[in-house]
Amino acid sequence: MEFVDLRSDTVTQPTPEMREAMATAEVGDDVYGDDPTVNRLEALAAEMLGKEAAIFVPSGTMGNLLALLVHCQRGDEAIVGDHSHIYLNEAGGMAALGGIQPCPIPNRDDGTLALEDILASIRTEDVHHPITRLICLENTQNVCGGVPLTVEYTRRVGELARRNNLSLHIDGARIFNSAVAQNVSVKDLVEPADSVMFCLSKGLASPVGSMLVGTHKFIARARHLRKMLGGGMRQAGILAAAGIISLEQMTKRLGEDHARAKALADGLRQVKGVEVDAGSPSTNMVYFNLLDEVTLSVDQIIDKMKKRGVLVDWAAPRRFRLVTHYWVDDAGVEKAISAFREVLG
Ligand SMILES: *Cc1c(COP(=O)(O)O)cnc(C)c1O
């Protein structure tokens, strides 16, 4: 059976064009700086994000960890959203490997951290206190609904960071989804940030990899730490070749995923027992809750959907997150809506 896979945009297979580019990529030993394809990808990423330099890393988790390790010393504190991927879903790496203490503050429904909350959580100079070094934002904010943070909001956080001698890191795993949804340039969106991580391996459909961007000095330090973490890769141009296609082509088509997410949400709003979040979707994620009248468990629903050729995953005990991507077409959206109608009807 051919499955419509709505579990995540991480399931995206490389496109035929990517496979071709990977097979024919010119490569070298990237630890020597000798891989021309990796070098091209890094230059392209830096240029597109409007930063001095970039480094190719195996995962978004490693990219975020490197940023934390460069910005913070052991015992320092980083302000993070309590719904952020860095805080919830990176295996406590900042604490375990960096000795960095997270200072979690509430993510509001729109994905932002309140400026007052950020200000209030900055430590005063006191022998008892850790030193606050860093603010981390997530754009789009996944758990809050795949919501995009605006240029204006990011500028205000950037100003607050500078006034207080802090750095600003953006976990921009889906920063291109954010830029496309708001019709703004990704450069403007990340201009206030000292560093940005984004993923090639999600909606941009590369098989592996993420980018970390920042100043030359920041990236040089990240390169040293990447080696320390075991992330120095050799003929990584095989992977970077796909990444170049992600940046040059796949960034331009994300609007299609957003339109399909909207069609999916509109369809699901007509299905009994489903309550789609107000305002969902903002980008490529549809979140919905099950009403009390639904007696099936999420696991039973997942199983019944699978039997109908649709893969879905739960976000909480009575809550689903569906994600559209390159390999979900209009027919796939229709199939998913019909399957939910059958299973819940
Ligand atoms: C996926 C994701 C990451 C981490 O990326 P991996 O490549 O899975 O390690 C970081 N932040 C957010 C918001 C993500 O969605």
Side-chain angles (χ1 to χ4, degrees):
M1 191 185 324
E2 236 188 73
F3 287 101
V4 179
D5 196 342
L6 296 167
R7 291 172 300 168
S8 176
D9 47 13
T10 57
V11 303
T12 42
Q13 304 259 326
T15 65
E17 194 180 348
M18 283 179 182
R19 289 182 188 269
E20 170 69 23
M22 293 169 77
T24 56
E26 201 188 331
V27 296
D29 187 337
D30 179 54
V31 175
Y32 287 117
D34 274 357
D35 190 303
T37 311
V38 172
N39 293 342
R40 253 173 69 216
L41 172 65
E42 291 179 346
L44 180 61
E47 203 274 316
M48 286 177 76
L49 278 278
K51 303 294 179 195
E52 289 175 11
I55 183 171
F56 184 43
V57 290
S59 69
T61 300
M62 189 187 282
N64 281 334
L65 177 60
L66 287 175
L68 284 152
L69 291 176
V70 177
H71 289 303
C72 303
Q73 299 299 306
R74 300 188 72 78
D76 287 349
E77 205 169 50
I79 297 169
V80 297
D82 64 350
H83 290 342
S84 67
H85 196 279
I86 287 178
Y87 185 55
L88 295 176
N89 292 318
E90 299 188 4
M94 66 191 290
L97 302 171
I100 302 159
Q101 173 163 292
C103 176
I105 62 176
N107 278 108
R108 296 185 292 188
D109 288 348
D110 66 358
T112 61
L113 309 175
L115 297 180
E116 314 82 81
D117 289 349
I118 298 176
L119 261 179
S121 65
I122 298 171
R123 305 288 180 172
T124 52
E125 226 177 274
D126 184 308
V127 72
H128 301 85
H129 295 170
I131 297 170
T132 310
R133 290 279 183 216
L134 180 67
I135 303 169
C136 298
L137 295 177
E138 184 175 312
N139 192 1
T140 62
Q141 215 299 343
N142 179 346
V143 172
C144 295
V147 289
L149 309 187
T150 64
V151 171
E152 178 54 30
Y153 171 75
T154 309
R155 276 194 192 136
R156 291 174 68 183
V157 176
E159 280 160 21
L160 187 159
R162 274 192 297 283
R163 271 205 310 279
N164 291 278
N165 227 353
L166 306 179
S167 298
L168 173 61
H169 173 69
I170 297 180
D171 173 352
R174 298 184 181 82
I175 197 72
F176 285 96
N177 291 87
S178 179
V180 165
Q182 302 181 85
N183 197 22
V184 297
S185 85
V186 77
K187 268 186 203 164
D188 288 346
L189 209 44
V190 303
E191 191 277 327
D194 298 285
S195 57
V196 187
M197 184 287 290
F198 68 91
C199 293
L200 299 166
S201 62
K202 294 183 174 170
L204 301 181
S206 273
V208 177
S210 293
M211 305 301 301
L212 179 64
V213 301
T215 62
H216 287 300
K217 189 167 165 226
F218 174 91
I219 294 300
R221 182 74 188 125
R223 206 171 285 284
H224 186 217
L225 290 165
R226 184 186 68 174
K227 194 77 183 88
M228 188 190 288
L229 295 180
M233 299 180 285
R234 302 295 181 181
Q235 284 73 34
I238 296 279
L239 299 171
I244 290 169
I245 294 175
S246 284
L247 285 178
E248 287 182 340
Q249 297 178 33
M250 304 305 273
T251 51
K252 298 196 180 115
R253 57 153 305 284
L254 293 172
E256 292 175 35
D257 298 341
H258 300 174
R260 290 200 178 96
K262 174 139 192 334
L264 182 59
D266 289 346
L268 288 170
R269 285 195 166 90
Q270 310 305 316
V271 175
K272 240 168 54 79
V274 166
E275 185 177 50
V276 178
D277 285 11
S280 183
S282 308
T283 52
N284 67 332
M285 294 179 184
V286 179
Y287 277 89
F288 68 86
N289 291 318
L290 297 173
L291 297 175
D292 290 343
E293 70 200 52
V294 177
T295 52
L296 295 169
S297 70
V298 284
D299 286 327
Q300 287 170 318
I301 293 169
I302 288 168
D303 198 48
K304 285 171 183 288
M305 289 295 290
K306 188 171 179 182
K307 293 204 171 84
R308 288 162 176 81
V310 182
L311 302 180
V312 295
D313 205 358
W314 57 280
R318 300 283 291 171
R319 187 165 170 77
F320 282 91
R321 183 194 74 167
L322 309 181
V323 187
T324 56
H325 52 76
Y326 182 75
W327 295 100
V328 177
D329 59 11
D330 293 337
V333 168
E334 282 310 313
K335 182 168 164 176
I337 295 166
S338 317
F340 270 114
R341 200 178 292 125
E342 272 179 45
V343 169
L344 298 174

